[in-house]
């Protein structure tokens, strides 16, 4: 059962239907085939900066995208853009910004749609006005979590699709441990129960992707054990939860998310001593391998914010970008609201191609990203 939609909701739903669904059963190869052969990128024909750009998400400050970002889009030097509250004055305003970006992309040698994303989790964590109004905690605590997870997923999808966005960095699949801890303090977790998180997360993913907006499960392998002060945006975080508990509790919702066809998974910047005591998850081939090989995820991996305080000991943006790509991260999230940050990551990846980064693995990652883009 779906509650009645507002007039705008109905209009958004119609637009999403016209744009075509993003069915959870569609694989990467099938999605790639949706893009006409003449417009599929041939990596050998691209410049190093264009090849590298397929792995980077840019951001920008304020309400108006700088000319440098529009140039990067026109030249094929970026895979897309992440939007924050400071970029959004109204739904009409951000819809106009996105139209201008798509017009710039029309001149690009890469004709696949841009990845245009935001964090529209629900409750306190929303960049756009409107749905989902309920937080994940509200959904999990409701008398009918299945109904409300479906409703909030649909609402998020319709809201984003209505302004032209096609990726949501949601849902959060962290299984929180204590009231007021890192994930719970902003009501970002559905439950202390892994089974409840798995069920609600899968429902949200299915409903949102039905509206043509790709979902992102985060933060693998899970920030549920993090205490209230363990914020990877600000500082290094080490989680000492055993591998057994990580796999039986924290990773459990990802199995259901993958079965539901989730398109992206974001990895955490915390260090998990039970899996790899030396590196944050998003810089760890071991943790990426846990997701790929143990859980069987075939979609797109995306980093958390590349400027995060948890990476303060891992060098510059350039160094972090190369380390993340080498670890197996497909998309690098440059979210400091600085176009130059994204440009620096692109240049670093281009320089490392054929040196510290294997070209075949690099292009395989770019192909996963472009298969996602082709399906939007």
């Amino acid at each position: 059962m779906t509650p009645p939609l507002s007039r705008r909701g109905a209009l958004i739903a119609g637009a999403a239907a016209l744009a075509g669904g993003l069915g959870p059963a569609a694989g990467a190869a099938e999605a790639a085939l949706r893009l006409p052969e003449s417009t599929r990128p041939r990596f050998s024909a691209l410049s190093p900066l264009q090849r590298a750009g397929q792995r980077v998400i840019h951001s920008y400050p304020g309400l108006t995208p700088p000319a440098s970002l529009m140039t990067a889009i026109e030249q094929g030097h970026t895979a897309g853009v992440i939007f924050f509250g400071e970029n959004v004055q109204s739904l009409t305003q951000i819809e106009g910004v996105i139209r201008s970006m798509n017009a710039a992309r029309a001149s690009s040698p890469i004709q696949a749609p841009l990845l245009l994303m935001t964090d529209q989790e629900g409750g306190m964590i929303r960049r756009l006005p409107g749905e989902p109004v309920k937080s994940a905690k509200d959904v999990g605590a409701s008398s009918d979590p299945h109904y409300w997870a479906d409703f909030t997923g649909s609402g998020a999808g319709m809201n984003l699709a209505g302004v032209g966005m096609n990726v949501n960095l949601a849902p959060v699949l962290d299984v929180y441990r204590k009231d007021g801890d890192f994930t719970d303090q902003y009501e970002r977790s559905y439950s202390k129960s892994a089974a409840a998180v798995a069920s609600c997360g899968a429902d949200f993913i299915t409903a949102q992707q039905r509206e043509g907006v790709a979902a992102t499960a985060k933060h693998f392998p899970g920030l549920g054990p993090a205490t209230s002060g363990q914020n990877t945006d600000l500082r290094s975080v080490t989680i000492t939860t055993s591998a057994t508990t990580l796999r039986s509790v924290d990773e459990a919702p990802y199995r259901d998310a993958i079965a539901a066809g989730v398109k992206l998974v974001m990895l955490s910047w915390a260090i998990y001593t039970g899996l790899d005591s030396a590196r944050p998850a998003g810089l760890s081939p071991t943790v990426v391998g846990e997701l790929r090989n143990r859980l069987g995820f075939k979609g797109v991996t995306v980093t958390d914010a590349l400027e995060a305080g948890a990476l303060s000991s891992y060098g510059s943006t350039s160094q972090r970008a190369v380390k993340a790509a080498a670890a197996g991260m497909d998309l690098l999230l440059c979210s400091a609201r600085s176009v130059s940050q994204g440009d620096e990551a692109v240049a670093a990846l281009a320089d490392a191609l054929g040196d510290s980064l294997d070209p075949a693995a690099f292009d395989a990652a770019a192909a996963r990203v472009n298969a996602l883009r082709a399906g939007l």
Side-chain angles (χ1 to χ4, degrees), residues 9 13 48 81-82 88 209 216 271 285 376:
V81 179
I82 179 171
V88 181
Q209 293 190 163
T216 307
I271 294 171
L376 297 173

Tab-separated table of all heavy atoms in Angstrom, residues 9 13 48 81-82 88 209 216 271 285 376:
chain	number	residue	atom	x	y	z
A	9	GLY	N	4.588	15.258	-6.096
A	9	GLY	CA	5.022	13.861	-6.067
A	9	GLY	C	4.514	13.098	-7.275
A	9	GLY	O	5.232	12.289	-7.863
A	13	ALA	N	6.739	11.370	-10.056
A	13	ALA	CA	6.564	9.960	-10.395
A	13	ALA	C	6.415	9.778	-11.895
A	13	ALA	O	6.986	8.859	-12.482
A	13	ALA	CB	5.336	9.408	-9.667
A	48	PRO	N	44.454	10.270	-21.189
A	48	PRO	CA	44.622	9.839	-19.790
A	48	PRO	C	43.706	10.580	-18.825
A	48	PRO	O	43.147	9.978	-17.907
A	48	PRO	CB	46.100	10.126	-19.517
A	48	PRO	CG	46.758	9.988	-20.852
A	48	PRO	CD	45.759	10.546	-21.838
A	81	VAL	N	28.806	14.666	-10.230
A	81	VAL	CA	28.846	15.722	-9.216
A	81	VAL	C	28.029	15.295	-8.004
A	81	VAL	O	26.952	14.702	-8.152
A	81	VAL	CB	28.275	17.044	-9.781
A	81	VAL	CG1	28.288	18.143	-8.726
A	81	VAL	CG2	29.057	17.486	-11.025
A	82	ILE	N	28.532	15.631	-6.802
A	82	ILE	CA	27.764	15.461	-5.578
A	82	ILE	C	27.285	16.829	-5.111
A	82	ILE	O	28.036	17.807	-5.157
A	82	ILE	CB	28.579	14.756	-4.467
A	82	ILE	CG1	27.731	14.616	-3.191
A	82	ILE	CG2	29.904	15.455	-4.190
A	82	ILE	CD1	28.362	13.754	-2.112
A	88	VAL	N	21.904	24.051	-2.873
A	88	VAL	CA	20.473	23.955	-3.143
A	88	VAL	C	19.717	25.098	-2.469
A	88	VAL	O	19.658	25.191	-1.245
A	88	VAL	CB	19.910	22.610	-2.642
A	88	VAL	CG1	18.422	22.510	-2.955
A	88	VAL	CG2	20.663	21.440	-3.269
A	209	GLN	N	15.163	2.389	-6.349
A	209	GLN	CA	15.661	2.057	-7.685
A	209	GLN	C	14.524	1.838	-8.670
A	209	GLN	O	14.712	2.008	-9.873
A	209	GLN	CB	16.616	0.861	-7.605
A	209	GLN	CG	17.888	1.241	-6.862
A	209	GLN	CD	19.004	0.211	-6.928
A	209	GLN	OE1	20.157	0.533	-6.647
A	209	GLN	NE2	18.704	-1.020	-7.281
A	216	THR	N	22.833	3.522	-2.788
A	216	THR	CA	24.185	3.264	-2.288
A	216	THR	C	24.087	2.761	-0.857
A	216	THR	O	23.626	3.485	0.034
A	216	THR	CB	25.021	4.561	-2.300
A	216	THR	OG1	24.966	5.149	-3.587
A	216	THR	CG2	26.468	4.272	-1.916
A	271	ILE	N	39.316	1.973	10.394
A	271	ILE	CA	40.185	0.801	10.365
A	271	ILE	C	39.493	-0.303	11.152
A	271	ILE	O	39.038	-0.085	12.280
A	271	ILE	CB	41.564	1.113	10.978
A	271	ILE	CG1	42.313	2.139	10.109
A	271	ILE	CG2	42.391	-0.159	11.151
A	271	ILE	CD1	43.578	2.671	10.749
A	285	PRO	N	42.758	-3.366	0.091
A	285	PRO	CA	42.357	-4.420	-0.843
A	285	PRO	C	41.707	-5.599	-0.128
A	285	PRO	O	40.845	-6.269	-0.699
A	285	PRO	CB	43.679	-4.832	-1.505
A	285	PRO	CG	44.593	-3.670	-1.315
A	285	PRO	CD	44.203	-3.053	-0.006
A	376	LEU	N	21.148	4.487	-16.333
A	376	LEU	CA	20.379	5.544	-15.695
A	376	LEU	C	19.584	6.358	-16.728
A	376	LEU	O	20.011	6.472	-17.869
A	376	LEU	CB	21.320	6.469	-14.911
A	376	LEU	CG	22.073	5.808	-13.763
A	376	LEU	CD1	23.103	6.752	-13.161
A	376	LEU	CD2	21.089	5.349	-12.689
